[in-house]
Amino acid sequence: MPRFLKFSFFFFTIFLILVAILPFFVDKQKIATLIEDKLKNDFEVNLTFDKDISINFFPKPTLKIFSIKYVDDKSNIELIADKINLVATWASIFNFKPEVESLEVFSPIINFNKTDKITRSKNLIFVKNSDESFITSFKSKLKNFGVIKISQGRINFPENALKNVNLIFKSESDFKVKGDFEFPKLASKVIFDLVEKENSFDFIVQQKINDKNIIQYRGDLNFFGKYFLINGQGKSNFLNANEISNLFGNLSSFFISGIKLANIPVLANEINLDFKIDKLKINEAFLDSTQFDLKLSNNVLKINAFNSYYNDANINGDL
């Protein structure tokens, strides 16, 4: 037994030494060029990064790429990231044919705010093919990696920003997305989980507003061209209506006026939610067992089938 332990310790020591010195015998420049070609071919994007990459071989071959920049003038998208970790297979390191198992992007900044490159016409008409789907396109690219992680990112829109964005994309039998982010314009922290089911997504979302108002959402999400449709339920134990109503005016920037699309069943972002709230505070009054149907579409908010109780008196109607 002691002899076996000695041999085990000896071979383990040799293994660690090999792992430590192996990076010195790897042509980093050649690997960097191969990785750049793979990312361009698989994602069909033109990106640049610092060719002085770092390689670790324990526990799996991991390539660290720094100072990444990607610009798509056609879509007015710019991405800048401090670092990307690519976890590759052992075989791909030695045969110089990169096979990436997972990709993690650190502190990325995605900008969608180059609106000056878009025509200033007040009325635009885009014709979309019915089978065209951003999700389908993204899924086909994700299959080349299996798992994509985004850590501590930021997404900038013309009038909004999402901060501290953490996302995990998985391409298994079903496409899955989970993560969390902060939305300062709605004073919200959002945690979500999406799972693909046929042509839509089942979602579970928790939204915390001003650290006091917590809403749980469940339902399904559909994409139609550049727009989305949400149908589901919202539940909360307690909500302060005054705090929330002050934030709804900030939602207008989600909807793009003056743009029309053909060949798709939805012509604007639309949200339909059946709400149940145990206790709803309005000014200094408290309503119990509140239920209503909420519809938000094309900058118009509607509340129908409102039903609640105040001191055992029933309140109902459309607002």
Side-chain angles (χ1 to χ4, degrees):
M1 190 67 178
R3 181 177 295 181
F4 173 76
L5 292 176
K6 289 181 180 179
F7 275 110
S8 299
F9 179 77
F10 173 77
F11 284 115
F12 182 71
T13 303
I14 295 297
F15 173 76
L16 291 180
I17 294 174
L18 290 175
V19 169
I21 66 175
L22 193 56
F24 296 100
F25 298 95
V26 175
D27 189 340
K28 295 182 180 180
Q29 293 298 318
K30 184 173 182 178
I31 291 179
T33 301
L34 292 172
I35 290 173
E36 185 176 25
D37 292 341
K38 182 175 181 62
L39 292 175
K40 287 181 179 179
N41 294 332
D42 289 349
F43 274 91
E44 298 179 353
V45 294
N46 186 16
L47 56 80
T48 59
F49 56 84
D50 188 345
K51 299 302 187 296
D52 186 16
I53 66 174
S54 173
I55 301 178
N56 294 326
F57 288 93
F58 188 82
K60 284 188 176 183
T62 302
L63 295 85
K64 297 181 180 181
I65 302 173
F66 304 93
S67 303
I68 301 93
K69 185 174 183 179
Y70 160 64
V71 178
D72 186 344
D73 291 328
K74 184 179 296 185
S75 301
N76 302 301
I77 297 174
E78 179 186 56
L79 183 149
I80 302 171
D82 293 339
K83 182 177 68 173
I84 290 180
N85 279 2
L86 295 172
V87 178
T89 61
W90 280 101
S92 67
I93 294 296
F94 296 104
N95 62 18
F96 293 103
K97 295 181 179 179
E99 296 179 13
V100 181
E101 293 183 349
S102 65
L103 180 152
E104 185 169 6
V105 187
F106 294 87
S107 303
I109 299 175
I110 303 175
N111 296 315
F112 291 90
N113 55 0
K114 297 185 177 181
T115 55
D116 57 314
K117 294 184 179 180
I118 301 178
T119 176
R120 298 181 182 273
S121 172
K122 293 184 177 180
N123 294 293
L124 304 176
I125 298 179
F126 295 101
V127 179
K128 295 279 186 180
N129 295 325
S130 59
D131 59 348
E132 185 178 12
S133 170
F134 167 78
I135 295 297
T136 301
S137 175
F138 184 80
K139 283 169 53 181
S140 65
K141 293 178 173 60
L142 181 60
K143 289 180 179 178
N144 297 305
F145 296 94
V147 177
I148 295 180
K149 298 180 181 180
I150 295 177
S151 301
Q152 294 298 304
R154 179 185 176 96
I155 303 177
N156 295 320
F157 300 100
E159 299 179 18
N160 302 299
L162 304 181
K163 297 181 179 179
N164 296 323
V165 179
N166 299 288
L167 303 173
I168 299 177
F169 301 90
K170 291 184 178 181
S171 179
E172 299 171 346
S173 56
D174 296 317
F175 179 67
K176 299 179 181 179
V177 188
K178 64 186 301 183
D180 59 84
F181 59 85
E182 296 176 7
F183 192 5
K185 200 159 190 177
L186 293 182
S188 296
K189 172 70 178 290
V190 177
I191 303 172
F192 69 93
D193 197 337
L194 298 177
V195 179
E196 183 183 27
K197 297 296 182 183
E198 296 181 352
N199 296 322
S200 65
F201 289 88
D202 288 345
F203 67 81
I204 300 176
V205 178
Q206 181 190 86
Q207 180 184 12
K208 182 183 291 187
I209 304 172
N210 289 332
D211 293 324
K212 301 175 183 178
N213 306 279
I214 299 177
I215 308 174
Q216 307 283 352
Y217 304 94
R218 299 180 71 100
D220 61 82
L221 166 67
N222 289 274
F223 288 95
F224 300 95
K226 66 181 295 182
Y227 294 121
F228 64 79
L229 171 64
I230 292 177
N231 291 301
Q233 300 83 41
K235 298 181 67 176
S236 178
N237 294 327
F238 170 82
L239 288 181
N240 187 323
N242 298 92
E243 291 183 1
I244 295 176
S245 62
N246 292 333
L247 297 172
F248 268 108
N250 295 328
L251 286 171
S252 60
S253 55
F254 274 110
F255 305 97
I256 306 173
S257 60
I259 297 182
K260 299 179 180 179
L261 280 80
N263 295 343
I264 64 172
V266 175
L267 299 181
N269 294 329
E270 184 174 314
I271 300 175
N272 300 297
L273 295 171
D274 299 329
F275 263 93
K276 292 183 179 180
I277 305 170
D278 292 340
K279 190 169 289 292
L280 178 65
K281 182 180 180 181
I282 302 178
N283 296 325
E284 298 304 318
F286 290 89
L287 304 183
D288 296 316
S289 302
T290 302
Q291 299 184 38
F292 57 86
D293 298 332
L294 181 147
K295 180 174 182 177
L296 182 61
S297 177
N298 200 25
N299 276 341
V300 177
L301 174 66
K302 293 183 179 181
I303 295 179
N304 298 319
F306 182 90
N307 189 79
S308 187
Y309 293 88
Y310 177 66
N311 290 339
D312 295 328
N314 181 245
I315 304 171
N316 60 76
D318 297 333
L319 304 179

